[in-house]
Amino acid sequence: MVDKTGNSPALAQEFVQFCVEAGALKFGEFKTKAGRLSPYFFNAGLFDDGAKLGRLAGCYAKALMASGIEFDMIFGPAYKGIPLGAAVSIELARLGRNVPFAYNRKEAKDHGEGGTLVGAPLKGRVLIVDDVMSAGTAARESIAIIRAAGATPHAVAIALDRQEKATEVGPDGLVRDVDHSAVQYVQRQLGLQVCAIATLSDLLQYLDTQPASASGEHRERVLAYRQRYGVS
């Protein structure tokens, strides 16, 4: 069974297990960009060889194919989105879904072809491929680039949906939690579909299947974190 975001329980569990084995998903105490102490940390930069990146791209491609999301091309935002988008486009082509691919530079090039965009021209319905979505800032930047080129930002594919409250800076300069996640913001406010390979719920389910001696403490800490910062 697949839900409306393309999340397949079997694929999600396979993916979480793969992340743990690859060292891309770790348990402990990690400070997030929002200043929270998270009991787990996901780092897509640790899919650092051909086999890992290929398997990661396969998970993205399977989730996208299952989601039913229609798109005309892929955009990989600098920097992590560049190798992710390229690898996913290769895997989709292998599965019979060949689509154009483009990415951006952080700094404009003033020689050669110039500009900040590389690859296929941005047009049609564009799928943004990235690793996670913390505040929706990167998604908004990508949306602006895509619209400026005359194309339509249509959907976002991410590896892990942390399902936690986003933060925003108030008029007084203080950072506060809000009632929605970054993914929910992108879906509800920006109108884009989101496809996630796995979610925090899938991570908790994975911990439920592990021996209590190895996962009990991690599960309790992740569950407590979700109760404090999670969204419905």
Side-chain angles (χ1 to χ4, degrees), residues 55-229:
R55 187 172 173 186
L56 173 63
C59 290
Y60 271 101
K62 289 175 187 175
L64 283 166
M65 298 286 272
S67 74
I69 294 173
E70 296 290 336
F71 55 93
D72 301 308
M73 68 174 297
I74 288 174
F75 175 73
Y79 289 103
K80 282 185 180 178
I82 297 175
L84 289 176
V88 172
S89 67
I90 292 169
E91 185 62 20
L92 284 171
R94 192 185 69 80
L95 295 175
R97 179 84 167 84
N98 189 32
V99 293
F101 167 65
Y103 63 91
N104 69 303
R105 299 186 181 96
K106 288 285 190 181
E107 300 82 22
K109 187 176 180 182
D110 60 4
H111 60 281
E113 75 278 14
T116 59
L117 294 173
V118 183
L122 286 173
K123 60 183 179 180
R125 299 164 298 180
V126 182
L127 169 74
I128 302 163
V129 176
D130 216 338
D131 55 349
V132 294
M133 198 182 295
S134 299
T137 305
R140 288 194 294 270
E141 291 173 353
S142 295
I143 287 169
I145 292 169
I146 292 165
R147 285 179 174 159
T152 303
H154 184 66
V156 182
I158 56 174
L160 180 67
D161 178 0
R162 291 181 60 98
Q163 295 182 307
E164 68 180 75
K165 295 176 181 177
T167 58
E168 63 181 27
V169 180
D172 55 5
L174 296 177
V175 177
R176 294 181 174 84
D177 295 341
V178 292
D179 292 333
H180 57 261
S181 71
V183 166
Q184 290 172 335
Y185 173 81
V186 167
Q187 291 172 319
R188 298 170 184 175
Q189 303 301 123
L190 302 183
L192 275 66
Q193 299 180 69
V194 177
C195 175
I197 304 172
T199 67
L200 179 57
S201 297
D202 296 314
L203 173 53
L204 280 165
Q205 185 178 339
Y206 165 79
L207 291 172
D208 280 340
T209 66
Q210 302 307 299
S213 59
S215 67
E217 180 182 353
H218 296 321
R219 186 189 183 282
E220 291 308 310
R221 293 182 66 207
V222 172
L223 188 58
Y225 185 82
R226 182 176 188 178
Q227 289 172 341
R228 181 171 181 182
Y229 297 114

